[in-house]
Structure formats: structure tokens, C-alpha cells
Amino acid sequence: MKILSVDLQNIRSHLKTGPIRFGEGLNIIQGGVGKGKSSILYAIDFSFTGEKIGRTFNYLLRSESRRGTVKLTFEKGRDKYIIIRELKREGRGIKQVNPWLIRSGRIVAKGMKEAVNRELKDVLDGLEPRHLREILFVRQEELKTILNLKPEERQKRIDSLLGIEVFKNAFENLAPVVKRYEGENRSLNAVISVLEREEGKIKPVEEKIKREERKLKEIKGKEEKLIREINNLRREIEEYEGVEKKINDLSGRKESLKEKIELRLRDVSRDEKQLQNLSNEKVEIEKEIKKLRSERERTGNPEEIEREIEELEAREKEITGICGELSEKAKGLEGDLGKIKPLMGKGKCPLCGQELKEEHVLKLIEQYTSDLEKVRLKLREALNERGSLESRVKSMKEKLGNIRGKVREIEKREVKLNSLENEIKGLKERINHFKVEIGINKQIFEKLVKEEKGLRERFSHLLKKDYEKLKGELKVLEEERRKRVEEASEARTNIKNWRRELGELKRKMEELNMKRERLKKTSRILDFLKQTRELYKAVRAYLRSEYIKTIEANMQRIVDYIRDPERNYVVYLKNDYSPVVKVDGEEREVSSLSGGERTILAIAYRIALSQTVYTAKTGKKLGVLILDEPTESLGHEDESINRLGEMLRNLKDFEQIIAVSHSEHFTDYADHLIRVKYEAGRSILY
């Protein structure tokens, strides 16, 4: 793997920097304190891991910025990869948003950190991205930590990095499992001891069950014989009760029919008397109707009388009109006559306009008087005729009313006659129905008498038996059977209880066998677990020993590059990974080394450890190493910086090394130099 470039936007002091390009060999980022060198390394770390160093991303995002972005480009094999991670300030916190992973121009994952890291793990040969921080990146504040840790902490941390911790955890995790199986074996032995005492109880219980089953069989035989006798007796009693019931039913039906016949005979007698009374009443009404019809015929035809009344009323109406006309005419003549009399000897006639003379006036008076008398005579005649007509109309109406009264009387009598005839008809039909019913019931009665007689003759042998004696015999048999049933029930209960006891004993035997099998199995498992624990312990010790040899060899090789050539340094590790240094044959504690010596030892230890851990986890060599201020405590005067630079440039174990340093002398050994300075509130490359 080789890092090609990184682009920063709003990352610490970098407003917009990049692309910062890296090549093969030793890449040195040089600049003064606080110029933004380490920010580049932190950005690379963030790109690979997606994880924060510490509790927040405050160390990474530019303080006045809302967003920041890191874009890292690297190649592995024939593929070129781009990782893009973005930081976003939300409220008081900062979170990672919208990460991308691109392989050879194709998007592999985006949007979720987990998805990007999952794909990135495959790219990194199965190594978790967060583990790169421990292997790839040697931070300034972490450089000497490995030397300062307590032995037990150092051993735990390095075992974890190398994967040896897994064997320790497995060894410790198996301890409670072993303890649990040991406890289970003790419990199994205790239970088996109790269950083995139950084995001797099985045979006696089986003998009890066999004896009780033989007894039950004998009881069943007796009970079956009793059941047959009881059933025969019950059939006989039921047959007796059935015949007796049939005879009683027939007697009851006979009595009921007899009562019905007598009732119907009484009904017929009553209805015949009523029929006679109604017939007599009918004859009387027929006589009355005949008499009324004769009287009506003598009186005349009502239709002719009505027509005559209509003609008289029409004539009366006509005469009334004539009387009115004559009365008006008489009034007119009287008026004219009244006007003429005062005019005698005066002027002209008001009627004809001639000069009035006494003779003419008298003549007019005579004429009008004569006309008036004629009109009055006609009026009297008309009035007399009208009076006569009124009298005749009144008489005719009275006659018509009398005739209509007779007709109504006749109609009333006819209605009553019809009612009587219907009632007589109904009575006759009912009497006939009753007589038919009486005849049928008498036939049925005779049939029932014959049927009862036949039953008594056919079952005379049964009816002669004592019914109460039969019932007594049945009661005795049933009591005997009840005792047998109780005995059988008791036997079944005993068998059931003993079988339950036997079943429980057999279940315990099954449990005993299961416990024995379980004990065999748990004993084998326990032996296996104990052997496995010892194996884990041995493997852990063996692996640690082998890894220590590898780390020691790598450390010694690196120390030989950097050490003072005039002095002999031998480095080795204890079983807990604690480093021990022999200087010119004298063993010295790490705490007694000078600052420069401690820095050399720390660099050698971290590089050797990174190589060993990466190979242990992936089976491959570590291709990239990132160092933050490796020249700390090293000087130009003793040429320790020169030896470190020479060593890093000539160290062929790594395809690429990226180192940050403020030392100008260190830059002489760079294959690729990147200078950083701080101007106008931001870091820039120059």
C-alpha cells in the first residue's frame, strides 16, 4: 500500500491545503512548532479509521468552521482508492457525515461510516481500520508510551495487538465453565446415589400389579354373569311394564272415548230441541211475511204511486207558476185602473194619448174592471186546483209511506227468516257431524275392547307373575353387582396407583441412566476443557516467545542503524515485553538511559512492534509507516538525527515512510520534502 496524496479543507490550521503529494521512500514534512505539520498526519489517521482521538473531533475541525473535509488517495495493488470523510459542527458537538470510498473511479460505499469501514477492512487485508492507528501511526505523545507503561499493562496491550490476548481470555473464560462442569458432576453423583436406592423397589411393585390384575379378572367374570342375569330380569320387567302400560293405555282410551260418545249424545239431544224451536219460529215468520205481502199488494204498486206523485208535483209546480202570472196581471190591471179613475174630465189619456172624455173614461174603467174580474176568476180557479193537487200529493205520499213501511217489515222478517234458515242448516250439519263422530268413536271403542282382550290373552303367562317379586330380585342382583363394581374399581385404583408408582420408578431409572450418561459426557467434557486450558496456556506462552524473538530481532536491527557506532547496544525483551538494554556489556534500566537513547529505543520498539503486529494480523509486510516528531531528543552534534535519517531512508522493510519533524538537518535525508509554514492565520505549503 502507498499513500499518494491528501487534501485538507478547514482541518485545524489548514483552510484549504492540497493536494499534498507523497512518494516512495522517506517523505518528510518539515516546519516549525505549531505550523500545521501534525495536522496532516491526524487527517491521514482520520481518513483511514473514521474514529476520533479522544472524546471529540475538536482537535481536527478548524475552530471557526462549520464543516471540514479530508480526501485521502492511496493505491494498493493495481487499484487506486479515494477516502472522503467530512466533519460537521452541530450545536456544541461535531460529527462525521457523508463518508465515501471510491475504488478505481467506482463508488464502493457511501453515506454510513460502518459501510465505508466494512469495505475498507477488505482492502486492508482484513485489518480493522481502527487497528491501523496502533500499527501505522506513531504519534509524538505515544512514541515513548510503550517504554513508560507498567509491565502488566504493556503485556496486556501488546498481547491484544498480537492477538495473544484471545488465548488468555479463552483460558480465563474456560475457568467458570470448568467450575460449572465440576459442580454439575458433584450434583450428578449425588442424584445417581439417591436414584440407585430406588432400583430395588421395581420388582415388588410389579408383583403387586400382577396379583391385583388376576383379582380384577375374577371380579370381571362374576360381574359379567351378574350383568347377564340383571339384563334378562330387566327385559322381563320391562316387557311386563310394557304390556301393563299398553293395557292401561287402552283402558284410558276406552274411558276417554266413552266420555266423548256420551258428551256427543247430549250435544245431539240439545241441538235437536233447539232445531225444533227454530223450525217453529220459522213457520211463524213465514206467516207474517205472507200477510204483509198481501196487504202491500192491496195497497198498490209503489212505483206507479211514485210516478203519479211526480206528475202531480209537476202539475202543482205549473199551476203555482200560472198563479204567479195571474197575480201579477191582476196587480197591473188594478194599478192601471187606479190611474184612470182620477183622470175623468182632465186632459189626455195616459195610455192612448186621446183627449179624455167622461164617456171614454167610463168605458175604459168598465173594460179594465171586466178584465180584472176575469183574471181574478182564473186566479181563484188556479188556486183551487193547486190546493186540490197539494191534497192529492199529500195523500199519495202517505199511501207510499205506508207501503214502504210494509216493505221494510217484510225485509226485516225475510232477514230474520234467512238467519233462522242458516242457523237451522248449521244445526242439522252439526247434528249429522256429531252422529258420524259418535259412530266412528263407537267403532274405535269396539276395536279397543278387542285389542285389550287380545293383549290379556296373549300375555296371560306374564301377567300372572308377581311384579313386586321381580323387582325385588332385580334389586338384589343390582346390589350384588354394585359390590363387584366397587371391588373392581378398588382393584383398578390399586393397579393405577401401583402403575403410577412403577412409572415413576421407571422414570427415575430412565433419569438414572440419563444422569449416568450425562456424567460420562460431562466427565469427558471436563477432561477436554482442562486439557484445552493447558493448551491455551502453552500456545499463549509459545506465541509470546516467538513474537518476542521477532520483535527483538527487528529492534536490534534498527538500533544498530541509529546507535553510536563507538558503543555496543544489545536489546532484548522480557516475557512481559519489558525492554532491557545492554550498553557495552552492562545491563541498564530504560529509566537510566539518556533522552536521545530512550528516543532511539522507542522508535526501534514501535517500528519493530508495528512490523510484527501487521504481519501477525494479515500475513503480509507493513508497507507504510507514519512517524510524528521522531527526532525529539535527538541532536545534530552527536549525529543521532543523521543516523535516524539514514536508517529511515535505507530501511527497505517499508515502501513508504511519512515523518513529521521541525529539524532542518533531518530534511537532508528526505526522498520527498514537504515544507509547511503559518501565514495570515492558516497553514500553507511552500
Side-chain angles (χ1 to χ4, degrees):
M1 181 178 73
K2 183 172 66 176
I3 298 172
L4 299 179
S5 66
V6 65
D7 293 77
L8 312 179
Q9 184 173 350
N10 294 324
I11 298 299
R12 290 177 66 128
S13 59
H14 293 270
L15 188 63
K16 190 172 184 181
T17 304
I20 304 171
R21 302 186 186 280
F22 304 98
E24 292 183 4
L26 179 59
N27 296 263
I28 296 177
I29 304 171
Q30 192 275 332
V33 176
K35 304 304 180 182
K37 308 182 299 299
S38 295
S39 301
I40 299 171
L41 302 189
Y42 285 130
I44 294 172
D45 170 79
F46 174 57
S47 296
F48 276 120
T49 66
E51 303 288 344
K52 58 180 85 69
I53 298 174
R55 298 178 62 184
T56 71
F57 283 114
N58 283 328
Y59 73 94
L60 204 56
L61 183 62
R62 192 175 174 88
S63 59
E64 68 273 14
S65 299
R66 301 297 300 173
R67 286 179 178 270
T69 305
V70 177
K71 176 183 174 184
L72 179 73
T73 304
F74 69 96
E75 67 179 13
K76 190 170 189 300
R78 296 180 179 181
D79 291 315
K80 181 186 288 187
Y81 296 87
I82 298 174
I83 305 172
I84 300 173
R85 296 191 191 265
E86 185 177 354
L87 295 173
K88 181 181 178 182
R89 196 181 301 277
E90 288 188 355
R92 295 181 179 180
I94 301 170
K95 70 175 187 177
Q96 181 185 170
V97 295
N98 199 28
W100 292 58
L101 176 62
I102 302 168
R103 181 176 64 197
S104 300
R106 185 175 65 86
I107 297 172
V108 177
K110 69 173 183 176
M112 298 292 291
K113 180 185 78 173
E114 292 76 11
V116 170
N117 284 2
R118 190 164 50 248
E119 294 294 331
L120 197 55
K121 180 180 177 181
D122 292 337
V123 176
L124 299 174
D125 301 314
L127 189 68
E128 291 284 351
R130 58 190 173 84
H131 288 156
L132 279 181
R133 181 172 293 161
E134 296 284 348
I135 299 169
L136 192 73
F137 186 18
V138 181
R139 288 181 288 141
Q140 181 181 2
E141 61 270 21
E142 289 285 328
L143 181 61
K144 297 177 183 176
T145 300
I146 199 72
L147 302 179
N148 299 328
L149 288 173
K150 292 180 180 179
E152 61 271 17
E153 292 176 353
R154 184 187 300 108
Q155 185 184 64
K156 183 176 180 180
R157 182 169 177 179
I158 295 175
D159 278 353
S160 177
L161 285 171
L162 290 169
I164 300 175
E165 187 74 12
V166 178
F167 294 97
K168 180 185 177 184
N169 294 339
F171 178 82
E172 293 174 351
N173 291 339
L174 283 178
V177 180
V178 169
K179 189 175 180 181
R180 179 168 62 81
Y181 276 104
E182 288 174 341
E184 185 178 353
N185 279 6
R186 286 193 296 272
S187 299
L188 286 169
N189 283 319
V191 172
I192 288 169
S193 177
V194 172
L195 291 174
E196 283 174 344
R197 291 196 290 270
E198 298 289 315
E199 278 185 295
K201 297 179 181 179
I202 292 177
K203 193 171 182 179
V205 173
E206 288 176 338
E207 290 297 325
K208 286 181 182 179
I209 291 171
K210 287 178 182 178
R211 285 197 302 272
E212 203 67 17
E213 283 176 342
R214 285 195 295 270
K215 180 182 175 182
L216 180 61
K217 188 176 180 180
E218 292 173 4
I219 293 169
K220 281 184 176 180
K222 293 178 181 179
E223 185 186 358
E224 286 171 359
K225 183 180 177 183
L226 285 169
I227 289 171
R228 287 194 296 272
E229 293 176 0
I230 288 169
N231 288 339
N232 291 335
L233 196 54
R234 277 179 178 170
R235 279 194 296 272
E236 194 172 350
I237 290 170
E238 287 171 0
E239 190 177 9
Y240 181 96
E241 289 174 344
V243 171
E244 191 177 40
K245 184 177 183 300
K246 285 181 180 179
I247 291 172
N248 290 336
D249 288 345
L250 289 171
S251 298
R253 290 172 65 189
K254 279 167 53 184
E255 288 300 319
S256 177
L257 281 170
K258 189 176 179 181
E259 289 176 3
K260 285 182 179 180
I261 291 168
E262 290 174 354
L263 178 62
R264 286 293 174 256
L265 287 171
R266 287 195 296 273
D267 290 340
V268 168
S269 176
R270 182 197 65 216
D271 289 349
E272 285 178 342
K273 287 179 182 179
Q274 187 179 359
L275 179 62
Q276 185 61 45
N277 292 334
L278 291 174
S279 298
N280 293 337
E281 188 178 355
K282 177 187 173 190
V283 170
E284 290 299 321
I285 291 173
E286 285 175 341
K287 288 179 181 178
E288 289 177 4
I289 290 171
K290 186 176 181 182
K291 182 180 177 183
L292 287 168
R293 282 177 178 167
S294 177
E295 289 175 357
R296 193 197 71 179
E297 286 172 359
R298 286 197 304 272
T299 307
N301 192 335
E303 286 80 8
E304 291 179 357
I305 293 170
E306 285 178 349
R307 282 196 299 273
E308 189 175 350
I309 289 171
E310 288 176 359
E311 290 174 357
L312 289 172
E313 285 178 341
R315 178 60 183 166
E316 182 185 357
K317 185 177 180 182
E318 183 183 351
I319 293 300
T320 300
I322 292 170
C323 288
E325 290 175 0
L326 290 172
S327 179
E328 289 296 323
K329 190 174 182 181
K331 285 180 182 179
L333 290 171
E334 286 174 353
D336 290 343
L337 189 60
K339 290 178 183 178
I340 292 170
K341 284 181 178 181
L343 296 174
M344 190 175 291
K346 297 179 183 178
K348 296 180 178 179
C349 177
L351 301 174
C352 61
Q354 294 180 0
E355 287 292 333
L356 290 174
K357 295 180 180 180
E358 186 176 350
E359 181 182 350
H360 182 64
V361 171
L362 289 172
K363 189 176 179 180
L364 288 170
I365 290 171
E366 184 180 354
Q367 183 182 347
Y368 274 93
T369 301
S370 175
D371 291 341
L372 181 58
E373 286 299 325
K374 291 178 182 177
V375 169
R376 284 177 177 170
L377 178 61
K378 289 181 179 179
L379 179 58
R380 281 194 296 277
E381 290 174 353
L383 289 170
N384 289 335
E385 185 178 357
R386 188 177 71 178
S388 176
L389 288 168
E390 288 176 352
S391 178
R392 286 181 65 190
V393 167
K394 183 178 180 183
S395 175
M396 294 297 286
K397 283 185 176 180
E398 288 175 357
K399 187 177 179 180
L400 181 61
N402 189 31
I403 291 170
R404 286 178 174 165
K406 298 287 184 187
V407 170
R408 283 195 295 274
E409 285 297 322
I410 291 168
E411 289 174 348
K412 285 180 182 179
R413 298 294 189 281
E414 287 177 343
V415 169
K416 189 171 183 182
L417 181 63
N418 287 335
S419 176
L420 282 171
E421 287 175 345
N422 290 333
E423 193 172 350
I424 288 167
K425 183 180 178 182
L427 276 171
K428 286 180 179 179
E429 290 175 352
R430 190 164 68 178
I431 289 167
N432 290 333
H433 175 73
F434 285 162
K435 286 180 178 180
V436 170
E437 185 180 340
I438 290 167
I440 292 170
N441 285 337
K442 282 181 177 180
Q443 291 175 0
I444 295 171
F445 185 82
E446 292 299 324
K447 185 178 178 182
L448 292 174
V449 170
K450 290 179 182 179
E451 190 176 348
E452 182 182 353
K453 185 179 178 182
L455 277 172
R456 288 185 181 277
E457 289 174 354
R458 185 150 48 99
F459 294 100
S460 58
H461 67 285
L462 188 64
L463 295 171
K464 289 175 183 177
K465 291 186 178 182
D466 188 344
Y467 177 69
E468 293 301 324
K469 186 179 179 181
L470 289 173
K471 289 186 72 176
E473 291 175 2
L474 178 62
K475 189 174 181 181
V476 171
L477 289 173
E478 286 178 338
E479 178 63 22
E480 185 68 19
R481 188 200 168 197
R482 185 186 64 77
K483 290 178 181 178
R484 298 290 85 78
V485 169
E486 287 179 354
E487 290 175 0
S489 177
E490 184 181 355
R492 288 190 188 95
T493 301
N494 291 336
I495 291 169
K496 183 179 179 181
N497 291 335
W498 289 331
R499 280 179 176 168
R500 186 185 300 115
E501 185 179 349
L502 181 62
E504 181 64 21
L505 288 170
K506 286 183 176 179
R507 187 195 63 76
K508 286 180 179 179
M509 293 308 100
E510 289 175 2
E511 184 182 357
L512 176 60
N513 292 330
M514 288 172 62
K515 296 295 184 185
R516 285 169 175 165
E517 288 299 318
R518 178 62 182 169
L519 182 60
K520 290 178 184 177
K521 185 176 180 180
T522 54
S523 297
R524 287 196 301 270
I525 292 172
L526 189 59
D527 290 342
F528 173 76
L529 289 173
K530 288 179 178 179
Q531 291 171 12
T532 302
R533 286 194 80 209
E534 291 304 316
L535 183 61
Y536 280 147
K537 188 175 180 181
V539 168
R540 180 165 54 116
Y542 172 76
L543 288 176
R544 185 182 294 137
S545 172
E546 292 301 310
Y547 284 136
I548 285 174
K549 291 176 183 177
T550 303
I551 296 169
E552 282 178 343
N554 289 331
M555 281 181 68
Q556 188 64 55
R557 185 161 50 86
I558 294 167
V559 167
D560 288 342
Y561 264 117
I562 308 172
R563 68 177 174 81
D564 185 348
E566 296 180 359
R567 307 191 71 179
N568 183 30
Y569 285 84
V570 177
V571 181
Y572 64 92
L573 299 178
K574 294 181 180 179
N575 195 47
D576 58 7
Y577 303 102
S578 297
V580 178
V581 181
K582 282 187 177 181
V583 182
D584 296 329
E586 180 186 353
E587 187 173 303
R588 293 173 58 183
E589 292 292 333
V590 173
S591 57
S592 67
L593 297 175
S594 68
E597 290 173 329
R598 284 168 58 83
T599 299
I600 291 170
L601 181 61
I603 291 170
Y605 201 160
R606 285 305 303 265
I607 292 174
L609 183 61
S610 294
Q611 289 174 316
T612 306
V613 170
Y614 190 84
T615 303
K617 287 186 176 292
T618 67
K620 298 180 180 181
K621 287 186 177 182
L622 179 63
V624 177
L625 182 67
I626 299 174
L627 302 172
D628 187 13
E629 294 289 356
T631 57
E632 181 188 15
S633 302
L634 299 182
H636 177 60
E637 295 78 8
D638 63 358
E639 296 186 351
S640 57
I641 288 180
N642 299 359
R643 289 194 295 274
L644 174 64
E646 187 69 30
M647 182 275 294
L648 291 176
R649 186 166 67 179
N650 295 324
L651 192 61
K652 302 304 180 184
D653 298 32
F654 300 96
E655 186 179 356
Q656 183 183 57
I657 298 174
I658 299 173
V660 164
S661 177
H662 61 276
S663 171
E664 186 66 39
H665 298 289
F666 189 54
T667 62
D668 294 339
Y669 300 92
D671 294 309
H672 301 279
L673 179 61
I674 301 165
R675 294 186 181 274
V676 183
K677 64 179 179 178
Y678 190 80
E679 286 185 0
R682 65 175 188 170
S683 297
I684 58 174
L685 304 181
Y686 69 99

